[in-house]
């Protein structure tokens, strides 16, 4: 049996910090208080969100846009590490990590990601000719425009042959940036073109090698033959074809130097997928109506404007043949009567409309226009593709079948014909709802048919729509057509309940006032209840009350309810006025545990509430904020302090033990042991178990399961990983801030502004020349150091704090402490008439952290580096904090470099520049700072249960 250490723990709200790995560029990373991560396009972005808090906070990554508003396409990432491979420019922007665990406000940190890139530059050539009023001479001016998309902004340079062109180096050359392009374009102007201006020109685009992005160059040869493109189409305009044919569009160049490139584009869409493009030739096989449209040939050689010529492709088509009968408009009667006028109209959709022709037949014989049989074409602007046959003074001999045939002059498309019968039986329509067909009652999920009976001859098309509200029909449209008057709805749902309108249309029937009728649909559905499922955890000897409530049902009259445990009927009854039913159960034995089902029933079916009553213990919650949970006992193994709290320990019978499972990640076999628990566990109580003899550097999967009288409860699983400390037993640490991660120093999230990594070779001294170092501490202009920038918007008294990594001191055993001495030294530079203060603090780590000031300096110390050496005696793991305080003006930059911590006392120690804080003893020429902890380490052997 393993043993536990237990102590009281107060839950902690979340904190969050963002760190990055992956392929960041080594450029300025901190801009005042804004965190900026720069990366080259195509590399891998990797951001990790480090959180603390108990219970373990839930992490969520979100994004707001920089150059693009994609917002993760409104999605989020719920992993600690956000990884984007092959990052693209549109993925730049601000990324937020949000952590919340229900305590206090969520913790949110952000970092801005800049994606750097440089596209290939493009040179375009434009020319202008200006004439004098007397027209005695003219000048020819050529403009070479160079443009490249980039981030950061691109810088351009021009060469003529091997000669570098600069503004003012040649009177015939002018170089400028047009104000409206914001520096993204560079123009080379050749004024009054001269013979020497005919040459090879090169534009070099550069982003100054940031992110190791190389310069890119494009060349253009300017000659006296340089000209903009011109083209010719070897096709007709428009091109009218039959469906199924293959069409070829040919475009050729008629001028242009350099030789233009040719391509084809479509005006409103992409080229058809089946199209074959070969330079100036476009072939479209088996053409259809969807391929119709305007096609343009475009020629471009970057001289002047591209040349463009277009042609239209028209694909012949005939569709949607319809007819309608209009009785004598001068009489109110809708019927056809002898001696009155009747008009038959026929309509089709035709492409091209000018090729459309109509033919009329009576009983199969051609019909020509006459005084009583008048054939006309309707104005295309009023009703396109429509022909009319007016029968004046209808006679008995006019009865028969009239046929309207639509065709295209060019052929290739089948004709469309409509037959219309005119007789004594030709009568206008009437709509009725058959007896028993309204209201229609259906159950949710059924297939239902709504019916309107149409009489008359001919029978028109029936249009169905919703009559009670403006909502779409089941197929998504506002109206549905029916040729037999039946509307068939599959998988009917409760939202379809309502009134439906059937209405005659003029098509294939009489052009009279529409007839309509209404059909009511009632959709029944079983009761919707809550909760559909609920887990209730109770200990033996307690009681539990379960409540099942009706939310909605149709019919609303609920017939009965039933309570069951498994298949055993416990209680049944009928509802009166209430909308819920309750059941109380006393849990005297294990047999009272199980799944309780409450069924509430109406005519359409039943709804069910399920309650799982169990005595299982809730899962434990691992404590992730254990300070320094990992230590090394031997060279090949390590130990881990596993800590957790128990979720809702009082909800069920007390925890008797925990089953601890452990296995190496990736393996199948679990090693298990049981950990006994004496006495009840209190809410928030921190429980500790030390795992020993873990093999370096293997990660392990941990499974922890509580056990009580009921049996095993819910398990919790986590991964523990071995990660060697910065200095497992601190012997020696040196940092010159030369590497990309600045020796794992971090910015304090609670200060006002940040320290900045800098070198003398890249520092801009134009605005504050009388402050800050001119080299690093070693005398190199290329070396790096950390400094505080005190220019605007910084204010007097604002602080920037830089935190070292956590150093683990060499302990005598995993539970004890030591009083090892260390020599801490660093170089500092404080030059300028507005210098503030530099303060050094020692932070001891533990359940609470304590900071003690160990050194301080204030004011101007001259234009040179100074070294400070201090003896420290930490009694626990610790951090060094550099605090820079801004002085009264902008000439107050403070810098530090070459930080070192070495085991053993300093051979010589420098006095602090200002008096040490109270409580720190100065002895002779050596400053010894004996630090006593303000806390006691957790004793893993005490409070054993």
């Amino acid at each position: 049996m393993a043993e536990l250490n237990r102590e009281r723990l107060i839950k902690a709200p979340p904190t969050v910090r963002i760190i990055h790995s992956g392929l960041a560029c080594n450029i300025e990373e901190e801009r005042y208080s804004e965190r900026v991560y720069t990366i080259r396009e195509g590399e891998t972005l990797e951001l990790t969100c480090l959180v603390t808090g108990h219970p373990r906070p839930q992490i969520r990554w979100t994004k707001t846009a920089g150059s693009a508003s994609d917002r993760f396409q409104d999605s989020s990432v719920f992993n600690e590490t956000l990884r984007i491979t092959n990052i693209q420019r549109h993925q730049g922007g601000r990324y937020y990590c949000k952590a919340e665990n229900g305590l206090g406000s969520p913790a949110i940190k952000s970092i801005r990601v800049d994606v750097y890139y440089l596209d290939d530059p493009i040179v375009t050539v434009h020319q202008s000719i200006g004439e004098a009023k007397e027209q005695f001479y003219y000048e020819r001016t050529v403009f070479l425009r160079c443009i490249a998309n980039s981030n950061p902004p691109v810088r351009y340079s021009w060469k003529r042959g091997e000669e570098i062109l600069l503004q003012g180096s040649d009177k015939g050359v002018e170089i400028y940036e047009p104000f409206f392009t914001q520096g993204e374009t560079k123009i080379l102007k050749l004024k009054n073109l001269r013979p020497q201006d005919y040459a090879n020109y090169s534009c070099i685009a550069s982003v100054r090698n940031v992110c190791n992005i190389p310069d890119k160059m494009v060349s253009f040869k300017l000659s006296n033959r340089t000209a903009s493109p011109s083209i010719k189409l070897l096709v007709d305009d428009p091109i009218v074809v039959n469906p199924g044919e293959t069409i070829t569009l040919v475009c050729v160049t008629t001028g242009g130097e350099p030789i233009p490139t040719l391509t084809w584009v479509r005006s409103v869409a992409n080229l058809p997928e089946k199209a074959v493009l070969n330079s100036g030739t476009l072939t479209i096989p088996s053409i259809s109506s969807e391929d119709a449209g305007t096609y343009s040939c475009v020629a471009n050689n970057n001289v002047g404007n591209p040349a463009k010529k277009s042609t239209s492709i028209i694909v012949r088509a005939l569709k949607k043949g319809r007819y309608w009968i209009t009785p004598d408009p001068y009489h109110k009667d809708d019927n056809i009567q002898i001696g009155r006028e009747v008009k038959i109209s026929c309509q089709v959709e035709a492409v091209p409309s000018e090729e459309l022709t109509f033919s009329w037949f009576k009983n199969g014989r051609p019909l020509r226009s006459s005084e009583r049989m008048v054939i006309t074409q309707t104005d295309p602007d009023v009703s396109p593709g429509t022909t009319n046959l007016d029968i004046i003074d209808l006679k008995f001999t006019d009865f028969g079948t009239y046929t309207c045939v639509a065709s295209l002059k060019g052929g290739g498309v089948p004709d469309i014909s409509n037959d219309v019968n005119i007789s004594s039986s030709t009568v206008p329509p009437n709509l009725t709802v058959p007896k028993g067909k309204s209201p229609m009652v259906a159950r949710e999920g059924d297939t239902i048919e709504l019916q309107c009976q149409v009489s008359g001859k001919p029978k028109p098309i029936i249009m169905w729509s919703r009559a009670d509200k403006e909502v779409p029909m089941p197929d998504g449209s506002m109206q549905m057509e029916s040729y037999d008057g039946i509307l068939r709805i599959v998988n009917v749902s409760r939202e379809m309940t309502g009134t439906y309108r059937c209405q005659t249309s003029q098509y294939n029937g009489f052009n009279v006032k529409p007839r309509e009728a209404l059909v009511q649909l009632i959709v029944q559905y079983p009761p919707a209840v809550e909760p559909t499922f609920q887990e209730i955890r109770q200990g033996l000897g307690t009681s539990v009350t379960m409540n099942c409530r009706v939310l909605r049902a149709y019919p609303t009259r609920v017939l009965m309810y039933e309570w069951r445990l498994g298949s055993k009927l416990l209680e049944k009854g009928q509802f009166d006025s209430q909308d819920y039913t309750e059941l109380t159960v006393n849990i005297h034995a294990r047999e009272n545990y199980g799944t309780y089902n409450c069924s509430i029933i109406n005519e359409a079916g039943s709804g069910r509430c399920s309650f799982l009553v169990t005595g299982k213990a809730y899962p434990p919650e691992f404590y992730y904020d254990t300070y320094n949970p990992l230590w090394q006992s031997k060279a090949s193994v390590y130990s881990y302090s596993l800590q957790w709290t128990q979720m809702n320990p009082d909800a069920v019978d007390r925890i008797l033990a925990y089953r601890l499972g452990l296995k190496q990640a990736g393996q199948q076999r679990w090693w298990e042991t049981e950990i006994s628990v004496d006495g009840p566990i209190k809410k928030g109580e921190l429980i500790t178990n030390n795992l020993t003899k873990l093999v370096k550097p293997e990660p392990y999967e941990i499974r922890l399961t509580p056990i009580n009288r009921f049996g095993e409860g819910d398990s919790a699983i986590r991964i523990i990983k071995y990660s060697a400390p910065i200095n497992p037993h601190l012997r020696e640490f040196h940092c010159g801030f030369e590497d990309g991660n600045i020796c794992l120093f971090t910015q304090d999230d609670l200060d006002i502004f940040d320290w900045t990594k800098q070198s003398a070779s890249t520092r801009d001294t134009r605005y504050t020349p009388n402050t800050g170092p001119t080299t690093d501490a070693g005398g190199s202009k290329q070396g790096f150091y950390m400094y505080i920038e005190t220019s605007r918007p910084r204010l007097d008294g604002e602080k920037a704090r830089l935190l070292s990594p956590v150093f683990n001191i060499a302990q005598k055993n995993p539970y004890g402490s030591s009083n090892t001495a260390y020599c801490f030294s660093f170089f500092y530079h404080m030059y300028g008439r507005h210098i503030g203060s530099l303060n050094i603090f020692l932070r001891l780590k533990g359940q609470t952290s304590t900071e003690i000031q160990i050194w301080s300096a204030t004011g101007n110390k001259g234009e040179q580096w100074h070294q400070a050496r201090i003896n420290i005696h930490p009694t626990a793991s610790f951090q060094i904090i550099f605090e820079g305080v801004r002085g009264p003006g902008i000439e107050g930059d403070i810098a530090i470099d070459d930080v070192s911590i070495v085991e053993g006392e300093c051979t010589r120690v420098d006095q602090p520049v200002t008096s040490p804080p109270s409580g720190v003893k100065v002895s002779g020429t050596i400053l010894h700072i004996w630090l006593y902890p303000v806390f006691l380490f957790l004793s893993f052997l005490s409070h054993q249960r």
Side-chain angles (χ1 to χ4, degrees):
M1 289 286 186
E3 295 182 338
L4 299 177
N5 294 317
R6 295 161 58 179
E7 63 179 282
R8 190 66 176 164
L9 171 73
I10 297 179
K11 293 191 175 184
T15 66
V16 63
R17 183 163 61 96
I18 297 176
I19 64 172
H20 54 75
S21 55
L23 300 170
C25 304
N26 185 23
I27 64 170
E28 181 182 3
E29 188 176 323
E30 303 289 342
R31 301 177 185 171
Y32 303 116
S33 60
E34 181 180 42
R35 302 201 60 184
V36 181
Y37 180 107
T38 53
I39 188 170
R40 181 174 174 175
E41 188 173 49
E43 303 289 6
T44 297
L45 169 71
E46 191 168 295
L47 302 175
T48 300
C49 193
L50 301 182
V51 299
T52 65
H54 188 75
R56 177 67 167 169
Q58 182 184 22
I59 297 172
R60 180 182 183 188
W61 282 99
T62 57
K63 175 179 181 288
T64 58
S67 57
S69 298
D70 52 3
R71 293 185 65 87
F72 279 165
Q73 288 73 46
D74 292 325
S75 67
S76 303
V77 178
F78 293 93
N79 299 320
E80 289 187 3
T81 299
L82 172 67
R83 181 180 174 87
I84 302 176
T85 57
N86 190 27
I87 191 169
Q88 299 300 303
R89 61 193 68 178
H90 70 272
Q91 294 173 303
R94 180 166 296 281
Y95 289 81
Y96 290 84
C97 176
K98 178 181 179 181
E100 54 186 337
N101 63 355
L103 299 177
S105 300
I108 301 175
K109 287 292 181 181
S110 67
I111 188 169
R112 185 162 64 84
V113 175
D114 273 354
V115 181
Y116 281 4
Y117 58 90
L118 174 61
D119 291 345
D120 292 331
I122 297 174
V123 168
T124 58
V125 181
H126 303 269
Q127 55 185 340
S128 65
I129 297 176
E131 297 184 359
K133 291 182 179 180
E134 296 82 3
Q135 298 185 357
F136 291 150
Y137 69 91
Y138 71 91
E139 68 171 16
R140 185 182 181 191
T141 300
V142 173
F143 300 88
L144 277 70
R145 181 191 298 264
C146 186
I147 184 170
N149 296 320
S150 73
N151 183 32
V154 69
R155 290 183 180 176
Y156 300 94
S157 57
W158 286 95
K159 294 174 66 177
R160 180 167 55 197
E162 297 301 321
E163 175 193 3
I164 298 177
L165 296 176
L166 301 174
Q167 179 67 24
S169 61
D170 186 331
K171 291 184 178 179
V173 175
E174 183 179 344
I175 301 173
Y176 65 93
E177 294 177 356
F179 71 92
F180 52 84
T181 62
Q182 299 180 354
E184 297 175 356
T185 302
K186 180 75 78 171
I187 292 180
L188 179 68
K189 180 179 180 181
L190 306 176
K191 299 179 290 185
N192 197 12
L193 205 62
R194 305 162 300 178
Q196 62 266 33
D197 293 328
Y198 294 120
N200 192 52
Y201 291 86
S202 298
C203 171
I204 300 96
S206 173
V207 289
R208 300 163 296 288
N209 204 39
V210 298
C211 289
N212 295 318
I213 298 176
D215 296 348
K216 295 188 177 182
M217 182 177 72
V218 63
S219 297
F220 184 88
K221 184 177 182 180
L222 182 67
S223 70
N224 57 4
R225 294 186 303 275
T226 299
S228 57
S230 59
I231 57 175
K232 178 181 180 181
L233 294 184
L234 303 182
V235 293
D236 296 331
D237 182 29
I239 304 171
V240 181
V241 295
N242 293 323
E245 294 181 355
T246 296
I247 184 171
T248 299
L249 308 180
V250 180
C251 175
V252 296
T253 59
T254 57
E257 176 69 27
I259 298 175
T261 58
L262 297 175
T263 189
W264 282 90
V265 295
R266 193 176 176 187
S267 59
V268 294
N270 296 327
L271 293 177
E273 291 185 3
K274 59 189 175 184
V276 178
L277 178 62
N278 182 13
S279 185
T281 301
L282 176 67
T283 301
I284 307 175
S286 187
I287 200 164
S288 64
S289 297
E290 291 73 20
D291 302 325
T294 301
Y295 290 76
S296 301
C297 176
V298 180
N300 187 19
N301 65 351
N302 292 338
V303 178
N305 295 320
K308 179 179 179 180
K309 289 196 174 182
S310 304
T311 185
S312 296
I313 296 179
I314 299 174
V315 182
R316 291 187 175 95
L318 280 176
K319 54 186 176 179
K320 288 189 177 180
R322 290 176 170 177
Y323 70 89
W324 58 93
I325 303 170
T326 305
D328 191 342
Y330 301 104
H331 296 81
K332 295 183 179 179
D333 193 350
D334 289 341
N335 294 289
I336 296 176
Q337 295 186 23
I338 298 293
R340 293 182 181 176
E341 179 182 342
V342 63
K343 181 166 68 174
I344 305 172
S345 300
C346 183
Q347 184 183 66
V348 295
E349 292 183 9
V351 177
S353 59
E354 59 269 18
E355 290 190 6
L356 175 63
T357 62
F358 286 105
S359 302
W360 283 93
F361 298 83
K362 178 184 178 183
N363 298 327
R365 295 181 178 181
L367 190 64
R368 299 182 182 277
S369 185
S370 64
E371 290 184 359
R372 280 202 327 107
M373 298 284 183
V374 181
I375 299 174
T376 60
Q377 295 268 5
T378 303
D379 187 344
D381 295 331
V382 177
S383 181
T386 304
T387 182
N388 304 297
L389 172 63
D390 278 289
I391 304 176
I392 310 298
D393 188 17
L394 182 68
K395 300 181 182 299
F396 181 78
T397 55
D398 295 329
F399 287 171
T401 299
Y402 292 83
T403 303
C404 155
V405 178
S407 58
L408 294 178
K409 294 177 182 178
V413 177
D415 296 344
I416 291 180
S417 64
N418 288 306
D419 292 332
V420 185
N421 184 264
I422 300 295
S423 67
S424 59
S425 61
T426 303
V427 294
N430 189 32
L431 270 184
T432 58
V433 177
K435 187 176 180 180
K437 295 298 183 178
S438 181
M440 294 291 291
V441 179
R443 292 188 178 180
E444 201 165 35
D446 289 349
T447 295
I448 187 72
E449 289 185 347
L450 306 185
Q451 183 177 353
C452 278
Q453 186 171 327
V454 57
S455 61
K457 185 179 179 181
K459 291 183 178 180
I461 298 173
I462 303 300
M463 309 300 295
W464 284 92
S465 60
R466 292 293 293 265
D468 53 347
K469 46 189 169 183
E470 284 289 329
V471 294
M473 295 291 285
D475 69 346
S477 64
M478 297 305 294
Q479 284 189 327
M480 294 177 64
E481 288 186 355
S482 170
Y483 287 86
D484 58 3
I486 294 176
L487 174 65
R488 192 169 188 266
I489 305 176
V490 180
N491 192 23
V492 67
S493 65
R494 65 191 67 179
E495 293 79 14
M496 297 177 186
T497 296
T499 303
Y500 290 76
R501 176 188 294 110
C502 59
Q503 187 178 55
T504 60
S505 73
Q506 72 176 43
Y507 299 119
N508 297 2
F510 273 72
N511 182 22
V512 295
K513 182 179 179 181
R515 275 61 166 166
E516 66 178 46
L518 301 178
V519 179
Q520 186 179 6
L521 173 62
I522 298 172
V523 181
Q524 293 183 343
Y525 53 91
V529 298
E530 69 171 4
T532 55
F533 177 81
Q534 181 179 350
E535 184 183 61
I536 302 174
R537 305 205 184 200
Q538 294 287 127
L540 287 171
T542 62
S543 63
V544 58
T545 298
M546 294 162 281
N547 182 299
C548 185
R549 181 178 300 275
V550 181
L551 298 177
R552 53 194 172 274
Y554 195 88
T556 56
R557 181 173 58 89
V558 178
L559 300 179
M560 61 180 298
Y561 63 85
E562 293 180 350
W563 284 96
R564 293 179 181 270
L565 174 59
S567 60
K568 181 182 178 182
L569 180 63
L570 302 177
E571 183 181 312
K572 63 184 299 184
Q574 292 186 343
F575 282 95
D576 294 326
S577 58
Q578 76 275 20
D579 60 355
Y580 66 92
T581 174
E582 283 187 347
L583 178 69
T584 300
V585 176
N586 295 315
I587 304 175
H588 298 301
R590 292 179 60 90
E591 291 74 21
N592 299 123
Y593 290 119
T595 301
Y596 290 80
N597 292 317
C598 174
S599 297
I600 299 180
I601 307 163
N602 71 354
E603 294 176 6
S606 64
R608 173 181 291 182
C609 298
S610 291
F611 301 88
L612 175 60
V613 180
T614 177
K616 286 176 59 175
Y618 284 95
E621 294 182 300
F622 286 112
Y623 186 61
Y624 287 81
D625 299 344
T626 305
Y627 174 71
N628 195 24
L630 181 148
W631 73 88
Q632 304 171 77
S633 53
K634 294 182 181 179
S636 60
V637 298
Y638 68 98
S639 300
Y640 196 92
S641 180
L642 185 70
Q643 293 188 307
W644 70 90
T645 57
Q646 178 59 44
M647 182 189 297
N648 299 332
D650 301 327
V652 295
D653 293 333
R654 79 171 187 85
I655 308 299
L656 302 175
Y658 286 95
R659 180 166 289 116
L660 175 67
L662 181 145
K663 71 172 183 177
Q664 285 189 13
Q667 295 189 2
Q668 300 298 320
R669 183 179 177 184
W670 287 88
W671 174 86
E672 291 188 331
T673 186
E674 197 167 287
I675 308 169
S676 62
V677 178
D678 294 335
I681 298 175
K682 297 180 180 179
K683 186 175 183 179
E685 184 176 347
L686 186 65
I687 306 170
T688 303
N689 179 259
N690 294 321
L691 307 177
T692 59
K693 298 182 180 178
L694 305 176
V695 179
K696 295 180 184 176
E698 298 296 329
Y700 286 83
E701 188 173 350
I702 306 297
R703 182 176 63 200
L704 194 62
T705 308
I707 303 172
N708 62 6
R709 283 195 297 171
F710 180 84
E712 291 190 357
D714 291 335
S715 300
I717 295 177
R718 70 164 293 186
I719 301 293
I720 62 172
K721 297 180 181 180
Y722 173 80
S723 57
I726 302 300
N727 295 278
H729 302 305
L730 179 61
R731 296 288 183 268
E732 187 171 334
F733 171 83
H734 298 282
C735 178
F737 304 111
E738 302 297 329
D739 58 351
N741 60 11
I742 58 173
C743 312
L744 299 183
F745 275 73
T746 57
Q747 308 284 353
D748 191 336
D749 292 337
L750 302 179
D751 58 7
I752 302 300
F753 66 109
D754 291 333
W755 289 77
T756 302
K757 180 180 175 180
Q758 187 64 278
S759 70
S761 63
T762 59
R763 182 165 178 257
D764 190 348
T765 60
R766 288 178 297 175
Y767 302 107
T768 53
N770 299 318
T771 187
T774 56
T775 68
D776 69 354
S780 170
K781 288 186 175 294
Q782 305 302 320
F784 288 89
Y785 52 86
M786 300 296 291
Y787 86 109
I788 60 169
E789 171 60 65
T790 58
S791 301
R792 295 184 181 89
R794 301 279 66 86
L795 301 176
D796 187 11
E798 289 186 347
K799 297 177 181 180
R801 288 163 60 91
L802 187 68
L803 281 58
S804 77
V806 176
F807 299 109
N808 297 320
I809 64 175
Q811 297 179 341
K812 297 175 182 178
N813 56 69
Y815 315 105
S817 60
S818 68
N819 289 324
T820 306
Y822 295 92
C823 178
F824 161 55
S825 67
F826 64 99
F827 284 83
Y828 61 96
H829 192 284
M830 302 174 67
Y831 166 60
R833 59 194 180 100
H834 300 139
I835 291 292
S837 300
L838 175 62
N839 304 316
I840 312 298
F841 296 86
L842 185 68
R843 174 186 287 177
L844 296 174
K845 304 289 285 186
Q847 289 297 100
T848 58
S849 297
T850 300
E851 292 183 6
I852 300 176
Q853 184 172 333
I854 60 174
W855 189 91
S856 180
T858 303
N860 188 352
K861 307 304 174 191
E863 194 175 0
Q864 70 255 8
W865 287 93
H866 304 272
Q867 186 177 22
R869 303 179 186 87
I870 308 166
N871 283 326
I872 58 175
H873 297 78
T875 54
S877 298
F878 66 97
Q879 283 179 289
I880 300 294
I881 301 174
F882 291 88
E883 181 184 83
V885 183
R886 202 258 196 189
I890 63 174
E891 295 181 5
D893 295 355
I894 299 174
I896 58 172
D897 199 2
D898 291 350
V899 178
S900 68
I901 303 174
V902 180
E903 187 175 9
E905 294 193 347
C906 303
T907 55
R908 60 180 290 266
V909 179
D910 299 287
Q911 297 286 351
V913 179
T914 57
S915 299
S918 60
V920 178
K921 181 180 179 182
V922 180
S923 177
T925 61
I926 298 179
L927 174 64
H928 288 281
I929 304 174
W930 291 89
L931 302 172
Y932 298 95
V934 296
F935 64 94
L936 296 176
F937 261 107
L938 294 176
S939 175
F940 295 106
L941 298 179
S942 64
H943 307 293
Q944 295 181 359
R945 309 297 293 189

